[in-house]
Each structure stands twice: as structure tokens, then as C-alpha cells.
Amino acid sequence: PSRHPSRHPMISVDMGKPILSEKCMNGGESLRFAHTGRSRLPKVVFFEVNMGNPHAVIFVNDVNKYPVDRVGPAVENHPRFPARTNVEFVEINSPKSLIVRVWERGAGLTLACGSGACASAVAALFTGHVRGPVQVNLPGGKLVITWQGPGSFVTMTGPAEEVFCGEVNLAR
């Protein structure tokens, strides 16, 4: 199936009100990693945004050159997050556009994550990196995120398409 947005209906979803940590509201939080003998991981500054599930949003210069496959699992499993966390690596593409790669807790790198796209846009809007609505470009497609600021709901808009159809026989 084609991923061209004009061939699929656009659907908007109310994703709820994000919760930004106090440290997020004050410029982010630093995270350091213990030296394990392998090459050192860079110190990261993240913005914690809860969209009903936890997200650590990290702004990077070039998302395709950043060591996502090493930093993602290190952040996900850091003692700072006892229940683990999703990790978004965010590049500012333009004043209204982001490029995002997602390390999803328990799954690793994913093609797309709706709550991760929302968390990324909220952090970018809150910090003044972009203005809304924000286009979030993920490997699996594009979403448009709208958020009016603290206390307001996040709206996620994107194409919808059927990806599976099947039957299950429940009689035994």
C-alpha cells in the first residue's frame, strides 16, 4: 500500500494533556552514564514528557548520525527511570518541522510512535524550538501535532489506512 497521505483519510486524535516534569519546565535534566569499558556514551539533556506513558525527549543536531542504538537502551534502562522510558531523538528540521527517531521501551527502534511524536512536539514547542502546528517526520510516516501550551490537549493528525484484515474462529 502507498504511504502517500492524499490516498488515505486524515484522522485526528485527542491524545490528552501532557505532563511536563518540573525539570523539563526549567531547561531539561542531565543524565550521565557509568563508564563500562566500552566507548563512553555522551552526557544527554532530556525533557521528560508524560503522554500517559513516559518519554525522555533528547534534542540532537543530526538524528541520522547520532548513536541512537547505543544511547536509546542506556536511557531506557537508566536507574533514573525505574519503570524504564521511551526515548525520542529529535532534530529540528525547520521552524515547524521535526525529524524524530524513537527508541521504544521494551521494543527498541520503531518506525513510528504516536505518543512519542506528541511528546517530541510538546517538548519542542515548550522550549521554543518550533511553533505549531508541528509536522513530525518519523521513518514510518508523517504526523501533524497541535498543542496550545500547558493545560491544553494534544491533537495528533495523520493518515489512516487498513493494514490487516482477518477472521478468527472463537468456537472450539
Side-chain angles (χ1 to χ4, degrees):
S2 168
R3 296 212 182 272
H4 192 277
S6 65
R7 296 186 184 153
H8 303 289
M10 298 299 279
I11 304 294
S12 292
V13 178
D14 175 348
M15 296 293 286
K17 293 180 183 178
I19 300 169
L20 287 79
S21 71
E22 183 148 340
K23 287 185 178 179
C24 176
M25 297 178 128
N26 292 314
E29 183 176 344
S30 293
L31 198 60
R32 296 182 189 276
F33 304 98
H35 184 57
T36 60
R38 294 176 44 198
S39 59
R40 284 193 182 269
L41 293 172
K43 178 184 99 172
V44 298
V45 174
F46 69 94
F47 294 83
E48 186 176 8
V49 180
N50 192 305
M51 291 297 309
N53 57 349
H55 294 271
V57 178
I58 302 169
F59 294 104
V60 300
N61 290 330
D62 186 336
V63 76
N64 292 315
K65 291 183 180 174
Y66 195 81
V68 170
D69 58 336
R70 290 181 36 239
V71 177
V75 174
E76 173 194 2
N77 295 292
H78 193 278
R80 163 66 177 76
F81 303 104
R84 298 184 305 167
T85 189
N86 298 294
V87 188
E88 282 73 37
F89 300 91
V90 180
E91 177 183 337
I92 308 303
N93 191 41
S94 78
K96 294 182 76 70
S97 174
L98 306 173
I99 300 171
V100 177
R101 291 185 68 196
V102 178
W103 184 272
E104 197 162 347
R105 67 177 172 171
L109 280 173
T110 58
L111 294 176
C113 175
S115 62
C118 293
S120 298
V122 164
L125 287 160
F126 185 81
T127 57
H129 285 99
V130 294
R131 53 186 195 280
V134 180
Q135 179 174 296
V136 178
N137 301 287
L138 298 144
K142 299 175 183 178
L143 296 168
V144 175
I145 309 300
T146 306
W147 182 60
Q148 301 302 319
S152 32
F153 292 88
V154 176
T155 303
M156 178 177 68
T157 302
E161 67 180 278
E162 184 176 281
V163 294
F164 179 79
C165 183
E167 291 183 28
V168 175
N169 184 355
L170 298 176
R172 288 199 162 214

